[in-house]
Amino acid sequence: MAEPGEAVATTVYQRLRRHFGHRDWWPADDPFEIIVGAVLTQNTAWTNVEKALACLRDRQALSLEALLALPEAELAALIRSSGYYNIKAARLRALLAVMREDGGLAGWRKRETAALRRRLLAVKGVGEETADSILLYALERPVFVIDAYTRRIFTRLGLISGKESYHQLASWFEQQLRADLDLFQDFHAQIVVLGNSVCRPTPRCDRCPLAEECPQAEG
Ligand code: SF4
């Protein structure tokens, strides 16, 4: 890993921000939808999640009590488009049961970030990326989300090996950046748009705003 003192992450962010503009992201309407979406988006594209959210909305099930009142088989059918729907229905119900036990969103808002993170991670099927996405976008805590795009892009840039643990990578970013909610939200969103549209498995380096600095740049 490049030394955090070099603050290379900040330079990468500034280049992405200049190119893509502020992303105003996560693509959901309210904190509850963000929490549901964070589970549904595991291992699938957001377009599939949108269809599932639309089905839940049509069924008027996009609230804590309404969603928990649905039989698991019906919930699974409604979120079918997001893939792994039986597993995700169980995960969603487990997470929302904990949320209700804790007093809903209001209860979670009162909890300190590290304690809430541990609480989320204790739910079966909630990994670090899902927990941190919920913390960053639904609960507005400045934690850095690491996903597959982050690993791919920063490995290709030669700044990490790609084999670091989630915690090592999150710390690497957090040491270089001021703990600012908008910065963390927007930086992750920039990484997603680059990973999704430019630095894909087959990269489109000719349209990449990082190409000048990238040792892997093609063409
Ligand atoms: S120049 Fe190519 S390999 Fe490097 S970050 Fe951009 S798209 Fe990825």
Side-chain angles (χ1 to χ4, degrees):
M1 261 190 293
E3 286 298 317
E6 295 167 22
V8 284
T10 305
T11 308
V12 170
Y13 172 67
Q14 287 166 345
R15 283 183 186 276
L16 293 174
R17 169 75 184 254
R18 265 200 303 275
H19 186 79
F20 293 116
H22 188 271
R23 302 302 296 169
D24 195 21
W25 203 74
W26 175 290
D29 288 345
D30 64 29
F32 185 75
E33 280 196 25
I34 293 170
I35 291 166
V36 174
V39 173
L40 297 185
T41 199
Q42 294 171 343
N43 305 107
T44 197
W46 185 257
T47 47
N48 298 326
V49 177
E50 280 178 339
K51 289 177 200 156
L53 287 173
C55 288
L56 292 172
R57 205 173 291 118
D58 288 349
R59 178 69 173 73
Q60 298 191 317
L62 264 179
S63 70
L64 181 56
E65 292 307 327
L67 219 146
L68 278 172
L70 285 178
E72 195 164 307
E74 187 179 351
L75 174 59
L78 287 166
I79 63 171
R80 189 182 183 93
S81 67
S82 68
Y84 305 100
Y85 48 92
N86 286 320
I87 292 170
K88 288 182 180 177
R91 286 179 179 176
L92 203 47
R93 284 176 60 82
L95 176 63
L96 297 183
V98 168
M99 188 179 177
R100 180 163 64 185
E101 196 181 313
D102 291 348
L105 202 56
W108 277 359
R109 283 195 173 117
K110 287 183 199 145
R111 289 190 178 228
E112 185 265 329
T113 302
L116 180 53
R117 189 173 194 272
R118 283 195 297 276
R119 182 81 171 140
L120 295 171
L121 289 172
V123 179
K124 192 173 179 203
V126 175
E128 294 185 289
E129 183 187 337
T130 303
D132 286 343
S133 297
I134 291 170
L135 287 170
L136 179 63
Y137 291 104
L139 290 151
E140 304 191 321
R141 307 292 173 88
V143 295
F144 205 89
V145 176
I146 304 296
D147 64 0
Y149 292 145
T150 316
R151 282 184 191 276
R152 181 162 77 212
I153 293 165
F154 283 81
T155 302
R156 285 176 173 172
L157 289 170
L159 299 173
I160 63 172
S161 75
K163 292 180 184 148
E164 294 86 351
S165 69
Y166 186 102
H167 175 70
Q168 283 173 321
L169 287 183
S171 299
W172 184 76
F173 282 98
E174 288 173 4
Q175 282 171 40
Q176 295 178 65
L177 304 167
R178 66 185 192 286
D180 179 89
L181 179 66
D182 182 70
L183 170 64
F184 280 26
Q185 288 181 337
D186 191 49
F187 199 167
H188 180 62
Q190 302 285 345
I191 287 168
V192 170
V193 70
L194 188 80
N196 192 28
S197 62
V198 181
C199 195
R200 295 166 60 89
T202 302
R204 300 166 173 173
C205 303
D206 57 324
R207 61 179 78 171
C208 180
L210 307 177
E212 268 181 40
E213 320 294 332
C214 181
Q216 299 284 319
E218 293 174 355

